[in-house]
């Protein structure tokens, strides 16, 4: 069972994350985007948990737990509340259009696989697939970030990118410090995003639209 | 001997960490500022103690010739900056830009930043290195947004997004290095310890190492402020408190460059891997020439010197990319000279923008008549940073240029072009600031402590005229180490 089924399930879960990344690309409502992000984190928790099981690396259960509690439950709930309070749950502006995003996303996944698979020829199959999918999730996260003007979706894009990194770290067999790194990342997200910026941006700009910030800058430069 | 080193290394981490925790509780300006200066002085002493006893490397921390020099530089500049910060912050409190709550936060974060930077330098583990740089990024984001104006928040936000993407990519590179090491070295901590990686690097899969280096160079390169990835840097320098601009420019950029160099050494240890030189030479030249052009139309005095930092990080990246004992020597010297000079300039600029009440260059005129000390200090700093003799920056830039002419004359053309561009623009701008006709308004007296600025300039001047023999040998050793 260790090789066949274990590999298939790991493959399924990692592939599932890429799929959910695509789902995020075409969401046009913020609340829906947050729900899909919660799903993304849930799949990550399952994938990391599965890696912990087949590698017999017990510390990875902790990483999976952090992903589940913090990123699949706490962060989306908090962001939902912020979005509701700011009254911006209605619609999301997508730069360029969904069709183009999907095409670009497909190209990025192809790129990730073409880059990673030949390079990791020496590593075992499990690590290879995991790294290729992880790079795809990272690239899709970057695409999501550059595609929206909204601060909340920018943050969601960054967090999905970070999910991809956690997938890679869990897939690298026996990598130490994964727990510490995932905690460091959680602190980064929690401290800055939730605590400080969204409220302050609201307070100062009356908007979380990043274009409003650009106009401020242009005014100042004149 | 070993015990002394171990104690010093522990002190380098424990002193700033505990001082940071303590300063959260201290709300008084006087006590807080004194504690801040005292703690940085203690860290500096601990750093200097490392010369006499070096602890043995373990899987997490390590001291060698390369990082020891940077640790001393780091703690020296953070000490002088904390002295400068005393008078700077006093003025900010008077004008009400900082409230006592934020003051507490500022001091605690200052110590936390020093902790993070010391940890990054000491780290032997590439994962720990990443965590330390991430922590430093996080803290500086909070510091840049300290004034809570539109511009400061925008700068902090931009820095946060670009910086996080950068360190995220660097983490992917770090994971790839581990994946490359794991088949050779087995699972677990040794496969992330830098000194052990260095020993085994020749056996790693070169293709994987190449890919890892590209991610690491782009990721940490964002934090160095290399040209296509520099967008956060001018804003972050211009909008934060000036002591933070000095620390950002003088120290944090060095930390990121240090990380890049560590991985470059790994790459050079593997004969089959891609040579990292050309990539770094390309990015360095691009930053240099780009920043040289951008300097011309800056209207904000801190932004002007931020672009000058991009220029100098470009020169260093270029020098290390060229490699070889001479270019590496020049790069190392330039790292130290740039840190000292640029932070001295920011010390002057901080007080200047306070007495003039603005950072707009067009509103600052005739400083040498209104505030001779600050005015002449700034002139000396700019003359030094522009690369004129007899200052140390001239020495290091001259070494870079001459070694390039000797090996790759064609590359020397864009290099010299960029240097001349920056040279001309900086002198032209400072001419108006220092010698223009004063605007005739009332001369605001200034409570400036010029000692930190003068100390830095004196050090740079001495280094330009005479480098002590042991220091030259030290740099030569490290230059060979860097390959």
């Amino acid at each position: 069972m260790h090789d066949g089924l274990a590999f298939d399930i790991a493959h399924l879960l990692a592939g599932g994350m890429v799929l959910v990344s695509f789902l995020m690309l075409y969401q046009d409502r913020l609340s829906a985007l947050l729900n899909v992000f919660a799903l993304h984190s849930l799949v990550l928790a399952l994938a990391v948990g599965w890696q912990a099981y087949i590698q017999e690396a017990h510390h990875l259960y902790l990483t999976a737990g952090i992903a589940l509690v913090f990123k699949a439950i706490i962060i989306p709930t908090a962001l939902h509340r912020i979005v509701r309070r700011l009254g911006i749950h209605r619609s999301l502006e997508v730069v360029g259009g969904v069709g183009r995003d999907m095409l670009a996303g497909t190209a990025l996944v192809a790129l990730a696989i073409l880059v990673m698979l030949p390079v990791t020829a020496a590593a075992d199959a499990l690590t290879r697939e995991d790294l290729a999918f992880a790079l795809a999730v990272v690239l899709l996260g970057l695409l999501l970030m550059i595609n929206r003007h909204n601060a909340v979706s920018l943050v969601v894009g960054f967090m999905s990118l970070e999910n991809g990194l956690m997938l890679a770290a869990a897939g690298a067999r026996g990598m130490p410090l994964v727990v510490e790194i995932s905690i460091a990342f959680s602190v980064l997200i929690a401290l800055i995003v939730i605590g400080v910026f969204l409220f302050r941006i609201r307070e100062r700009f009356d908007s979380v639209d990043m274009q409003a910030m650009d106009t401020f800058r242009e005014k100042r430069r004149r | 001997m070993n015990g002394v080193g171990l104690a010093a290394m522990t002190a380098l981490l424990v002193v700033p960490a505990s001082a940071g925790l303590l300063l959260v509780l201290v709300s008084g300006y006087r006590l807080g500022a004194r504690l801040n200066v005292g703690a940085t002085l203690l860290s500096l002493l601990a750093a200097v103690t490392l010369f006499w006893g070096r602890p043995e490397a373990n899987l997490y921390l390590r001291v060698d010739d390369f990082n020891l020099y940077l640790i001393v530089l780091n703690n020296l500049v953070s000490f002088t900056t904390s002295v400068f910060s005393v008078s700077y912050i006093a003025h900010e409190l008077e004008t009400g830009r900082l409230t006592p709550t934020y003051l507490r936060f500022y001091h605690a974060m200052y110590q936390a930043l020093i902790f993070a930077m010391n940890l990054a330098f000491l780290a032997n583990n590439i994962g720990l290195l990443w965590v330390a740089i991430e922590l430093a990024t996080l803290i500086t984001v909070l510091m840049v947004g300290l004034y809570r104006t539109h511009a400061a928040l925008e700068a902090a936000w931009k820095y946060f997004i670009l910086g996080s993407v950068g360190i995220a990519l660097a983490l992917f590179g770090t994971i790839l290095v581990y994946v490359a090491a794991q088949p050779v070295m087995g699972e677990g901590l040794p496969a992330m310890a830098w000194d052990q990686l260095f020993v085994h690097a020749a056996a790693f899969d070169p293709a994987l190492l190449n890919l890892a280096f590209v991610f690491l160079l782009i990721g940490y390169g964002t934090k160095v402020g290399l040209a296509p990835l520099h967008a956060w840097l001018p804003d972050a320098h211009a909008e934060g408190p000036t002591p933070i601009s000095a620390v950002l420019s003088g120290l944090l950029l060095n930390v990121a460059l240090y990380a890049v160099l560590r991985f470059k050494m790994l790459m050079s240890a593997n004969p089959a891997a891609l040579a990292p030189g050309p990539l770094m030479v390309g990015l360095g030249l691009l930053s240099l020439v780009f920043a040289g052009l951008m300097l011309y139309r800056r209207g904000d005095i801190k932004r002007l010197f931020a672009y000058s930092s991009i220029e100098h990080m470009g020169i260093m990246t270029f020098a290390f990319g060229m490699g070889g004992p001479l270019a590496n020597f020049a790069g190392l010297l330039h790292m130290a000279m740039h840190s000292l000079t640029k932070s001295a300039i920011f010390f002057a600029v901080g007080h200047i923008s306070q007495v003039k009440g603005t950072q707009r260059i067009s509103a600052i005129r005739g400083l040498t008549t209104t505030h001779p000390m600050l005015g002449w200090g700034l002139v000396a700093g700019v003359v030094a940073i522009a690369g004129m003799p007899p200052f140390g920056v001239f020495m290091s830039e001259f070494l870079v240029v001459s070694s390039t002419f000797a090996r790759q004359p064609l590359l020397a053309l864009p290099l010299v072009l960029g240097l001349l561009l920056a040279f001309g623009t900086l002198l032209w701008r400072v001419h108006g600031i220092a010698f223009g006709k004063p605007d005739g308004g009332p001369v605001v007296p200034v409570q400036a402590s010029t000692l930190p600025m003068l100390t830095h300039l004196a050090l740079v001047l001495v280094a330009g005229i005479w480098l002590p023999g042991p220091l030259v040998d030290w740099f030569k050793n490290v230059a060979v180490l860097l390959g």
Side-chain angles (χ1 to χ4, degrees):
Chain A
M1 112 112 198
H2 194 73
D3 275 342
L5 190 60
F7 176 76
D8 286 344
I9 292 180
H11 200 146
L12 175 74
L13 290 170
M17 280 187 71
V18 178
L19 192 68
V20 180
S21 282
F22 270 103
L23 286 181
M24 274 196 269
L25 275 184
Y26 67 76
Q27 297 306 322
D28 55 1
R29 298 172 74 86
L30 255 187
S31 43
L33 181 69
L34 291 174
N35 289 337
V36 180
F37 170 71
L39 179 65
H40 198 258
S41 305
L42 180 69
V43 179
L44 171 77
L46 289 176
V48 174
W50 183 249
Q51 290 286 350
Y53 174 66
I54 56 178
Q55 291 181 25
E56 289 171 14
H58 299 295
H59 62 280
L60 282 184
Y61 284 120
L62 198 59
T63 307
I66 292 173
L68 183 68
V69 176
F70 187 69
K71 283 195 292 209
I73 298 171
I74 297 180
I75 292 270
T77 317
L79 282 175
H80 267 303
R81 285 186 60 179
I82 290 171
V83 162
R84 219 175 306 128
R85 194 179 299 173
L86 300 188
I88 49 166
H89 50 281
R90 342 172 271 290
S91 66
L92 258 180
E93 217 182 311
V94 180
V95 188
V98 171
R100 217 164 69 185
D101 279 5
M102 296 310 266
L103 280 179
T106 318
L108 287 177
V109 174
L111 176 75
I113 290 171
L114 286 178
V115 166
M116 283 316 289
L117 289 189
V119 164
T120 49
D124 62 310
L126 201 62
T127 310
R128 290 178 72 189
E129 300 282 340
D130 230 35
L131 282 177
F133 282 134
L135 183 59
V137 173
V138 168
L139 292 177
L140 289 174
L142 283 174
L143 182 64
L144 191 62
M145 284 179 81
I146 59 172
N147 249 330
R148 310 289 165 103
H149 284 313
N150 185 294
V152 176
S153 61
L154 199 64
V155 171
V156 171
F158 178 68
M159 289 190 296
S160 77
L161 184 160
E162 192 245 312
N163 282 353
L165 290 173
M166 283 303 125
L167 181 67
R173 191 166 277 276
M175 178 159 156
L177 292 180
V178 175
V179 180
E180 288 80 351
I181 286 171
S182 64
I183 291 173
F185 251 132
S186 309
V187 170
L188 189 148
I189 289 169
L191 198 70
I192 308 275
V193 178
I194 306 296
V196 192
F197 278 99
L198 292 175
F199 288 114
R200 284 204 191 168
I201 287 168
R202 171 68 176 173
E203 183 184 311
R204 297 281 163 179
F205 300 92
D206 293 318
S207 151
V208 281
D209 189 331
M210 300 311 293
Q211 272 183 330
M213 289 194 153
D214 284 345
T215 51
F216 273 121
R217 185 179 59 207
E218 273 156 25
K219 262 186 219 148
R220 203 176 67 240
R221 287 216 175 120
R222 224 170 282 144
Chain B
M1 284 305 273
N2 218 333
V4 178
L6 198 62
M9 187 167 77
T10 320
L12 275 176
L13 299 175
V14 172
V15 168
S18 46
L21 289 178
L22 190 65
L23 281 166
V24 173
L25 306 172
V26 176
S27 56
Y29 153 72
R30 217 167 255 282
L31 186 62
R34 274 182 193 166
L35 267 177
N36 197 30
V37 173
T40 47
L41 180 62
L42 268 182
S43 310
L44 175 61
L45 291 178
V48 174
T49 315
L50 281 176
F51 279 115
W52 282 281
R54 221 176 273 186
E56 238 166 74
N58 58 34
L59 287 175
Y60 293 99
L61 302 174
R62 173 167 191 271
V63 178
D64 66 3
D65 282 350
F66 180 27
N67 64 13
L68 178 48
Y69 127 79
L70 285 168
I71 290 166
V72 173
L73 180 68
N74 188 42
N75 286 287
L76 173 68
V77 175
S78 49
F79 168 61
T80 46
T81 307
S82 71
V83 175
F84 158 68
S85 144
V86 175
S87 53
Y88 180 85
I89 290 299
H91 187 275
E92 299 297 278
L93 281 175
E94 267 171 39
T95 53
R97 281 184 87 187
L98 269 182
T99 59
T101 327
Y102 277 91
L103 176 78
R104 215 154 58 166
F105 179 73
Y106 166 83
H107 278 141
M109 283 294 138
Y110 189 85
Q111 290 296 330
L113 181 60
I114 292 168
F115 167 76
M117 291 193 295
N118 280 343
L119 183 65
F121 281 130
L122 286 170
N124 188 22
N125 184 301
I126 54 175
L128 195 62
L129 172 70
W130 181 85
V131 171
I133 291 183
E134 191 245 312
L135 185 64
T137 307
L138 217 142
I139 294 165
T140 37
V141 166
L142 292 173
M143 299 281 252
V144 167
L146 193 69
Y147 288 143
R148 307 187 62 183
T149 55
H150 299 310
L153 286 180
E154 186 208 325
W157 176 257
K158 201 181 202 177
Y159 179 28
F160 166 63
I161 291 296
L162 278 171
S164 326
V165 171
I167 53 175
L169 294 181
L171 178 61
F172 198 73
T174 307
I175 295 171
L176 287 180
V177 171
Y178 172 78
V179 173
Q182 185 248 328
V184 181
M185 301 170 63
E187 295 174 14
L189 273 173
M192 286 188 94
W194 184 86
D195 54 352
Q196 316 229 2
L197 286 172
F198 187 65
V199 172
H200 294 102
F204 295 170
D205 179 25
L208 205 49
L209 216 49
N210 290 346
L211 190 62
F213 186 72
V214 171
F215 275 100
L216 288 161
L217 182 63
I218 293 181
Y220 288 135
T222 309
K223 298 276 310 158
V224 180
L226 294 176
L229 315 159
H230 67 282
W232 62 272
L233 195 144
D235 289 9
H237 278 65
E239 306 306 342
T242 310
I244 297 310
S245 312
V247 175
L248 261 179
S249 222
L251 304 177
L252 196 63
L253 301 183
N254 277 358
V255 174
L257 185 60
Y258 166 81
V260 172
L261 289 178
R262 281 288 185 201
F263 288 105
K264 177 185 177 261
M265 288 162 84
L266 281 188
M267 293 290 286
S268 323
N270 186 325
L274 169 103
L279 281 176
M280 292 176 70
V281 164
L283 280 178
L285 275 184
L286 187 64
S287 314
L288 168 61
V289 174
F290 172 81
L293 291 170
M294 292 299 279
L295 275 171
Y296 176 66
R297 295 234 12 213
R298 291 311 102 195
D300 180 310
I301 189 165
K302 281 166 84 177
R303 220 170 259 271
L304 177 76
F305 290 113
Y307 274 100
S308 152
S309 289
I310 299 178
E311 179 219 337
H312 285 276
M313 294 321 281
I315 297 174
M316 286 171 224
T317 313
F318 173 83
F320 290 122
M322 289 294 289
L326 189 58
N328 280 339
F329 181 93
L332 289 169
L333 184 63
H334 200 72
M335 252 172 140
M337 292 302 116
H338 172 253
S339 287
L340 292 170
T341 316
K342 190 52 68 61
S343 39
I345 288 178
F346 273 115
F347 298 160
V349 167
H351 286 312
I352 289 167
S353 56
Q354 282 181 337
V355 293
K356 295 288 181 185
T358 175
Q359 290 177 200
R360 281 204 4 260
I361 295 181
S362 53
I364 307 173
R365 317 255 18 118
L367 262 179
T368 43
T369 35
T370 54
H371 301 88
M373 197 66 171
L374 287 176
W376 285 108
L378 183 71
V379 170
V382 171
V383 164
I385 206 77
M388 290 231 279
F391 291 99
V393 181
F394 168 73
M395 276 260 289
S396 50
E397 284 185 359
F398 181 75
L399 283 173
V400 176
V401 172
S402 60
S403 70
T404 313
F405 262 119
R407 289 166 56 198
Q408 299 280 348
L410 275 182
L411 283 179
L413 287 178
L415 176 70
V416 171
L417 175 77
L419 286 175
L420 285 178
L421 265 174
F423 176 83
T425 317
L426 277 174
L427 289 191
W428 170 63
R429 297 248 73 151
V430 83
H431 183 266
I433 295 173
F435 306 112
K437 203 166 169 288
D439 50 9
V443 176
V444 185
V446 57
Q447 293 280 319
S449 60
T450 44
L451 196 64
M453 176 179 82
L454 294 178
T455 315
H456 280 198
L457 288 176
L459 282 175
V460 176
L461 182 63
V462 169
I465 298 167
W466 170 73
L467 270 181
L471 194 66
V472 174
D473 293 340
W474 188 283
F475 278 174
K476 274 185 185 159
N477 274 339
V478 181
V480 173
L481 209 70
L482 278 170

